[in-house]
């Protein structure tokens, strides 16, 4: 297994891309920034599996935790509420260097 | 169209019956029966395979998950193994959790977990059985990620503001189980009695286990 | 890998506040099944016991997608359900969507043909109607 691109604690952004087809990055999270809480493992790419292609390279999957107010600026609950989501590496980009 | 279309596959006794014999079948019930019969005729699977799979589906219920949770409440070493590898820990109790990895997320005094699948309806079927209708509903899938506390309140679950509500959106090829906190006042209960406190809904995270004293 | 510059095609793409992209663009880009965060009414907590035919659909999928047969992938089922279109979510029940998508995939893959499926469906329906007639209920 190659070294994961994003270590636990890394600040990452779920890419803001809108391709057609079977997409595994939920729409409401695209463009949102969170932190890798841990590395789930390597898994086949479901966006390829969905079309019957199962032999491609595996992708590292990361559990990313996002603060609710960073998803919904008008979030009604306390600001420490969070959302965790498993994201395939192709949907993540680094977000550490720039302020949101 | 009738049977006189000339195909001549031998038909054995049909392995399943329409569920409501005195009503016309719906289009999709007809489709289901036709697909099943064709796949059996073609040898993709057998009628026996189908019956065994139906039995396997019926054999699963939230009691499987409850057994796992109750053991974790009484055995810290088991709990550690459960959090590390839920499928392997369930197997220790004779529960086959299948091949899709299940991750157990633990509720603590400071963190309350609740599970949703916004993209479809992923659910730990092998530990909880088939999902309830509301879990698959548009309202639950839409709202839980945006207003989790309002949704929890609809289930009668009110959480203090100092608790972190952590929504887990189940998007990848794994499933989630919530390990609820053991209710206070259950110190004298044995594992079977504890398992009876563990409901399906508290393993999804929308409710808390009943406290027998309240 | 250098910083990815975000696509400039979409106004506000990549901006972290959801108020930047015009609402009509967001609506157009979201697929129907991808419903996290939408407004909706209260969660109806009604439940039903699954009918035998619904469990049968589930069983068919488990058999087809299991490692022993590998006829179709769960992710293909998901794609197939998504591609039924927005109306499917409003008009079809959960397992109706499943069997509709499973049938389409089996046809695409050449496991069953449209012609034999049509004939088998007519046969199933005729058989059921004959059973109803025997029971005096038709």
């Amino acid at each position: 297994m190659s070294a994961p691109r994003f270590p636990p604690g890394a600040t990452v952004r779920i890419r803001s891309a809108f391709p057609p087809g079977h997409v595994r990055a939920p729409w409401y999270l695209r463009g949102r920034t969170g932190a890798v809480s841990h590395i789930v493992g390597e898994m086949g790419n479901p966006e390829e599996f969905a079309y019957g292609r199962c032999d491609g390279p595996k992708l590292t999957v990361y559990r990313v935790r996002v603060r609710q107010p960073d998803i919904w600026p008008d979030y009604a609950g306390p600001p420490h509420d969070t959302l965790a989501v498993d994201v395939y590496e192709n949907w993540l980009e680094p977000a550490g260097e720039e302020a949101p | 169209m009738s049977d006189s279309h000339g195909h001549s596959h031998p038909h054995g006794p049909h392995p399943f019956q329409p569920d409501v014999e005195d009503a016309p079948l719906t289009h999709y019930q007809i489709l289901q029966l036709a697909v099943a019969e064709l796949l059996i005729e073609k040898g993709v699977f057998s009628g026996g395979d189908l019956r065994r799979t139906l039995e396997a589906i019926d054999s699963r219920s939230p009691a499987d998950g409850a057994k796992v949770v109750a053991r974790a409440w009484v055995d810290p070493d088991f709990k550690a193994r459960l959090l590390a590898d839920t499928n392997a820990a369930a197997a220790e109790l004779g529960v086959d959790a299948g091949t899709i990895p299940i991750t157990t997320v633990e509720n603590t005094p400071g963190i309350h977990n609740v599970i949703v699948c916004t993209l479809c309806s992923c659910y730990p079927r092998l530990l909880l059985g088939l999902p309830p209708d509301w879990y698959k509903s548009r309202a639950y899938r839409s709202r839980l990620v945006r207003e989790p506390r309002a949704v929890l309140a609809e289930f009668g679950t009110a959480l203090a503001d100092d608790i972190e509500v952590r929504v887990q959106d189940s998007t990848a090829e794994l499933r989630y189980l919530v390990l609820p906190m053991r209710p206070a006042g259950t110190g004298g209960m044995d594992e079977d009695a504890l398992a009876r406190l563990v409901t399906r809904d508290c393993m999804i995270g929308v409710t808390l286990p009943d406290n027998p004293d309240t | 890998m250098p910083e990815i510059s975000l696509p400039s095609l979409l106004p506000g793409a990549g901006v972290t506040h959801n108020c930047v992209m015009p609402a009509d663009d967001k609506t157009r880009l979201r697929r129907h099944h991808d419903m996290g965060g939408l407004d909706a009414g209260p969660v109806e907590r009604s439940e039903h016991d699954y009918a035998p035919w619904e469990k049968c659909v589930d069983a068919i999928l488990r058999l087809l997608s299991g490692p022993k047969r590998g006829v179709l992938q769960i992710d293909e089922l998901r794609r197939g359900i998504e591609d039924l279109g927005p109306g499917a979510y409003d008009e079809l029940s959960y397992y109706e969507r499943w069997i509709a998508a499973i049938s389409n995939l089996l046809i695409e893959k050449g496991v069953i043909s449209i012609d034999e499926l049509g004939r088998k469906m007519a046969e199933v329906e005729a058989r059921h109607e004959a059973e109803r007639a025997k029971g005096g209920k038709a």
Side-chain angles (χ1 to χ4, degrees), chain B residues 23 37 41 58 125 131 200, chain C residues 47 50 55 58 120 127:
Chain B
E37 287 187 23
E41 284 171 17
D58 277 335
R125 289 159 180 250
R200 175 196 69 200
Chain C
E47 298 179 26
Y50 288 100
K55 291 180 186 175
D58 204 291
K120 179 60 82 178
R127 199 168 60 224

Side-chain angles (χ1 to χ4, degrees), chain B residues 12-200:
Chain B
H14 292 288
F16 28 76
Q17 295 292 325
D19 44 320
V20 185
E21 290 201 343
D22 56 356
L25 296 172
T26 68
H27 171 74
Y28 292 97
Q29 287 171 320
I30 293 168
L31 189 56
Q32 177 270 307
L33 287 164
V35 166
E37 287 187 23
L38 283 172
L39 291 172
I40 290 167
E41 284 171 17
K42 289 168 181 290
V44 176
F45 51 72
S46 69
D49 292 330
L50 190 56
R51 276 193 300 276
R52 279 188 291 277
T53 306
L54 285 165
E55 283 166 16
I57 290 170
D58 277 335
S59 73
R60 295 314 172 96
S61 77
D64 293 314
K67 193 158 115 179
V68 171
V69 167
R71 174 64 62 86
W73 281 349
V74 300
D75 181 346
D77 292 335
F78 178 82
K79 183 173 109 176
R81 295 196 295 279
L82 179 71
L83 294 172
D85 183 341
T86 296
N87 301 61
E92 291 179 33
L93 305 185
V95 175
D96 176 4
T99 52
I100 298 177
I102 298 175
T103 292
T104 299
V105 287
E106 182 187 13
N107 285 349
T108 66
I111 298 172
H112 179 86
N113 293 280
V114 57
I115 310 301
V116 65
C117 173
T118 61
L119 293 175
C120 60
S121 52
C122 296
Y123 188 77
R125 289 159 180 250
L126 292 180
L127 288 182
L128 299 185
L130 297 178
D133 290 337
W134 57 259
Y135 184 83
K136 304 177 296 184
S137 71
R138 179 187 175 88
Y140 185 76
R141 288 167 53 191
S142 297
R143 290 177 54 225
L144 188 79
V145 296
R146 174 151 199 166
E147 40 177 352
R149 288 173 186 263
V151 173
L152 291 173
E154 288 169 24
F155 283 85
T157 305
L159 297 169
D161 271 359
D162 60 345
I163 294 172
E164 172 190 335
V165 172
R166 187 177 291 175
V167 176
Q168 179 74 52
D169 190 354
S170 183
T171 46
E173 207 48 24
L174 59 151
R175 305 288 178 263
Y176 285 91
L177 181 79
V178 172
L179 174 59
M181 279 193 295
R182 180 172 174 168
T186 57
M189 296 176 75
D190 68 15
E191 210 172 314
D192 287 343
L194 288 169
R196 286 193 290 276
L197 303 180
V198 184
T199 62
R200 175 196 69 200

Side-chain angles (χ1 to χ4, degrees), chain C residues 34-114:
Chain C
D34 191 352
M35 53 182 67
L38 298 190
D39 290 334
V43 177
E44 300 271 349
R45 289 176 64 192
S46 60
E47 298 179 26
H48 83 292
D49 289 331
Y50 288 100
W53 80 269
E54 294 178 299
K55 291 180 186 175
C56 227
V57 173
D58 204 291
I60 290 168
L61 188 269
R62 288 186 201 208
L63 287 166
L64 292 176
S65 65
K68 185 172 160 197
R69 293 176 187 81
V71 175
L72 57 83
Q73 304 290 319
I74 300 278
D75 294 331
E76 290 181 284
L77 173 75
R78 292 176 62 160
R79 187 254 296 177
I81 292 169
E82 292 163 13
D83 288 350
L84 293 173
Y89 265 91
D90 305 323
E91 293 157 18
L92 305 188
S93 72
Y94 183 76
Y95 280 112
E96 287 176 347
R97 295 196 290 271
W98 275 43
I99 193 62
I102 289 168
S103 308
N104 289 344
L105 286 163
L106 292 173
I107 292 166
E108 266 180 34
K109 289 170 177 286
V111 178
I112 56 181
S113 72
I114 290 174

Side-chain angles (χ1 to χ4, degrees), chain A residues 15-97:
Chain A
R15 291 173 50 238
S16 188
F18 298 88
H22 177 76
V23 166
R24 280 299 181 91
W27 171 82
Y28 72 95
L29 288 171
R30 294 187 219 165
R32 302 298 191 260
T33 299
V36 172
S37 68
H38 49 282
I39 290 161
V40 174
E42 294 201 317
M43 296 184 164
N45 183 353
E47 296 173 355
E48 289 291 309
F49 278 40
Y51 299 87
R53 297 188 292 270
C54 307
D55 300 327
K58 291 190 168 186
L59 298 173
T60 304
V61 178
Y62 301 82
R63 189 154 310 138
V64 175
R65 204 140 70 222
V66 187
R67 292 168 61 253
Q68 285 281 19
D70 289 342
I71 309 174
W72 319 107
D74 60 349
Y75 182 68
H80 53 251
D81 283 355
T82 59
L83 182 131
V85 61
D86 297 314
V87 188
Y88 293 79
E89 185 167 287
N90 60 320
W91 273 100
L92 290 178
E93 60 189 1
E97 295 92 286

